[in-house]
Amino acid sequence: MESPFWITESPIEPTALKKTLQGAASGAFASFEGWVRNHNEGKQVNALEYSAYKPLAEKEGARIIEEAKEKFAVEAATCVHRVGPLEIGDIAIWVGVSAPHRSASFEACRFIVDEIKARVPIWKREGYQDGLTDWINCPSQELRKPL
Amino acid sequence: MESPFWITESPIEPTALKKTLQGAASGAFASFEGWVRNHNEGKQVNALEYSAYKPLAEKEGARIIEEAKEKFAVEAATCVHRVGPLEIGDIAIWVGVSAPHRSASFEACRFIVDEIKARVPIWKREGYQDGLTDWINCPSQELRKPL
Amino acid sequence: MKIHVEYYAILKEQRGCSQENLDTDAATPRALYASLKGDHAFTLEDSDLKVAVNEDFASWDDALEEGDTVVFIPPVAGG
Amino acid sequence: MKIHVEYYAILKEQRGCSQENLDTDAATPRALYASLKGDHAFTLEDSDLKVAVNEDFASWDDALEEGDTVVFIPPVAGG
């Protein structure tokens, strides 16, 4: 079986991913996309880069998908996270869940997004209009370098 | 402004619909698709037809989207419902919501699906392997006709 | 009083047509449905239905007016 | 004891490299991080971090063994 979670440097293609979750018994499909925004906490973002500790990220991500399948009555679930330099509007993360009923599809999709944001070793560095950068969720650095 | 909810007899195209919700300020996009299943309450479904009271359905659907925008911090939201004969795997309903943050996107998307299922005058008639049909949510008929 | 009635879903099937013009004494949607239910053996009770007058939801005891369009709405099942 | 360390995100930037082989006396990830933090002026405390040994999450006070690969994990921000 292919892993239900992976890290990619390529653009994410939701339509192709969704096809892998289709089954004749599934009546509900919930999905989530994280898009690169032009701002964060009041600052104008003009460059952004994700990086990951790939082996552990993929292991932990797959565990999260398995947990979702145990907790909710789900047919299939997949998540892909992109790394590297991204532009405004690019998809950083895609989560899709198919299920016989809509409740399970929504709840599992939300669970997966929340857990991935909390547990998977992926980092985001934003570059702002003033030329400074920040590692999101890390205490500010005294010395900032351009992205 | 175009209506944020409409009834269509054509296949639903999620990719094109999603594009209409993209804005540089949106970081989160949640969507839901209702797919035609091959079974319902233990019975094998082999034909299915949706119908709507279109003028009121579109009016009530648009009200629901407006309510979602008032209740949740949403950027944009759209819903399309298909009517006519559908096949297993076809998309019957598509809901998409973009928002600055993921919570609002999930909550608004779920709210819209739930309210549409409860309030919008759309009906579903299923045809089963034994040749009988049912109007879903209506008391069973004594005399059933083929779909 | 002339009233236009449209039928959808199970009511359309049971009535055998999708719309008709009626000349009726019914003063309210409730009275109109009671009369139609008797004529056509509709299986749904008015408590199962909602009603719309002139393309918006209405109350069962609203007064009907000449030329109104009335739609009885069976339990919905979209999504 | 020879230990392989990989650096990611802010630690990679502060260390100025993505990995290195160390010969260390540190018996645990906690002791190893304390030593590296002193050498390289890392701004994060160990309480800000998680630690992985040999590609899975580990405890700060696990015993390190010859040849282990250690990764210190800054606060994550995926999604």
Side-chain angles (χ1 to χ4, degrees):
Chain A
M1 199 192 80
E2 279 183 30
S3 171
F5 176 94
W6 67 96
I7 301 287
T8 180
E9 300 195 5
S10 309
I12 290 174
E13 304 286 358
T15 305
L17 291 167
K18 189 174 68 178
K19 283 211 174 74
T20 66
L21 300 177
Q22 277 163 350
S26 294
F29 171 74
S31 73
F32 178 84
E33 298 181 10
W35 294 344
V36 177
R37 285 184 297 173
N38 63 359
H39 67 281
N40 190 16
E41 294 180 4
K43 285 177 289 189
Q44 187 78 18
V45 174
N46 52 8
L48 185 140
E49 194 177 79
Y50 282 96
S51 57
Y53 173 27
K54 195 170 169 177
L56 183 52
E58 294 191 333
K59 203 183 281 187
E60 188 71 356
R63 281 192 280 247
I64 289 167
I65 304 269
E66 286 313 306
E67 289 170 23
K69 287 182 177 173
E70 280 164 27
K71 289 172 83 82
F72 307 102
V74 151
E75 186 88 8
T78 289
C79 175
V80 183
H81 202 297
R82 186 173 168 192
V83 295
L86 271 70
E87 293 178 9
I88 307 302
D90 280 348
I91 303 172
I93 183 174
W94 185 90
V95 180
V97 176
S98 61
H101 298 287
R102 72 184 186 283
S103 259
S105 71
F106 273 116
E107 286 162 19
C109 188
R110 173 112 202 220
F111 171 84
I112 292 167
V113 179
D114 288 350
E115 294 296 306
I116 283 169
K117 282 176 108 72
R119 291 163 48 185
V120 173
I122 299 172
W123 300 278
K124 178 161 66 169
R125 191 187 188 197
E126 289 181 345
Y128 308 107
Q129 243 170 353
D130 56 12
L132 302 181
T133 68
D134 257 335
W135 290 98
I136 302 306
N137 294 343
C138 291
S140 289
Q141 301 175 251
E142 282 174 43
L143 195 65
R144 289 161 160 185
K145 297 180 186 171
L147 196 57
Chain B
M1 199 191 84
E2 279 185 30
S3 172
F5 177 93
W6 68 95
I7 300 288
T8 181
E9 298 194 7
S10 310
I12 290 174
E13 304 285 357
T15 306
L17 292 167
K18 189 174 69 178
K19 282 210 176 73
T20 68
L21 301 178
Q22 277 163 350
S26 295
F29 171 75
S31 74
F32 178 83
E33 298 180 10
W35 294 344
V36 177
R37 285 183 298 175
N38 63 0
H39 67 281
N40 190 16
E41 295 181 3
K43 284 177 289 188
Q44 186 78 19
V45 175
N46 51 7
L48 184 141
E49 194 177 79
Y50 282 97
S51 57
Y53 173 27
K54 194 171 170 176
L56 183 51
E58 294 191 334
K59 204 182 280 186
E60 187 72 355
R63 280 193 281 247
I64 288 166
I65 304 270
E66 287 313 306
E67 289 171 23
K69 287 182 177 173
E70 280 164 28
K71 288 171 83 82
F72 307 101
V74 152
E75 186 89 9
T78 288
C79 175
V80 184
H81 202 297
R82 185 171 168 192
V83 295
L86 271 69
E87 293 178 8
I88 307 301
D90 280 347
I91 303 173
I93 183 174
W94 185 90
V95 179
V97 177
S98 61
H101 298 287
R102 71 185 187 283
S103 258
S105 71
F106 273 116
E107 286 162 18
C109 188
R110 173 112 201 221
F111 171 84
I112 292 168
V113 179
D114 288 350
E115 294 296 306
I116 283 169
K117 282 175 111 64
R119 290 163 49 184
V120 173
I122 298 172
W123 300 278
K124 178 161 67 167
R125 190 187 188 197
E126 290 180 344
Y128 307 106
Q129 243 170 351
D130 55 13
L132 302 181
T133 68
D134 257 334
W135 290 97
I136 302 307
N137 294 345
C138 291
S140 288
Q141 303 175 251
E142 281 177 43
L143 194 66
R144 290 163 159 184
K145 296 179 185 174
L147 196 57
Chain C
M1 184 166 58
K2 287 189 167 49
I3 296 290
H4 184 70
V5 181
E6 294 180 11
Y7 298 103
Y8 289 91
I10 192 172
L11 291 176
K12 176 177 164 186
E13 185 178 307
Q14 292 181 346
R15 177 64 188 89
C17 70
S18 62
Q19 49 181 294
E20 64 183 331
N21 291 305
L22 298 173
D23 203 335
T24 179
D25 294 333
T28 64
R30 190 184 304 283
L32 179 60
Y33 187 74
S35 145
L36 291 167
K37 184 174 187 290
D39 291 350
H40 307 299
F42 292 155
T43 53
L44 294 173
E45 304 297 325
D46 60 16
S47 57
D48 297 324
L49 304 169
K50 292 185 175 179
V51 65
V53 176
N54 301 334
E55 299 194 355
D56 216 337
F57 291 110
S59 297
W60 282 99
D61 299 314
D62 285 353
L64 290 175
E65 293 179 23
E66 174 82 18
D68 277 351
T69 293
V70 177
V71 178
F72 301 105
I73 298 174
V76 303
Chain D
M1 182 165 59
K2 289 190 166 49
I3 296 291
H4 183 70
V5 181
E6 294 180 12
Y7 298 103
Y8 289 92
I10 192 173
L11 291 175
K12 176 177 164 185
E13 184 178 309
Q14 292 181 346
R15 177 64 189 87
C17 71
S18 63
Q19 49 182 293
E20 64 183 332
N21 292 305
L22 298 173
D23 205 335
T24 179
D25 293 333
T28 64
R30 191 184 304 281
L32 178 61
Y33 187 73
S35 145
L36 292 166
K37 183 173 188 293
D39 291 351
H40 307 297
F42 293 155
T43 53
L44 294 172
E45 305 297 326
D46 59 14
S47 57
D48 297 323
L49 305 169
K50 292 186 176 180
V51 65
V53 176
N54 300 334
E55 298 195 354
D56 216 337
F57 291 110
S59 297
W60 283 99
D61 299 314
D62 285 353
L64 290 176
E65 292 179 24
E66 175 82 18
D68 278 351
T69 293
V70 177
V71 178
F72 301 105
I73 299 173
V76 303

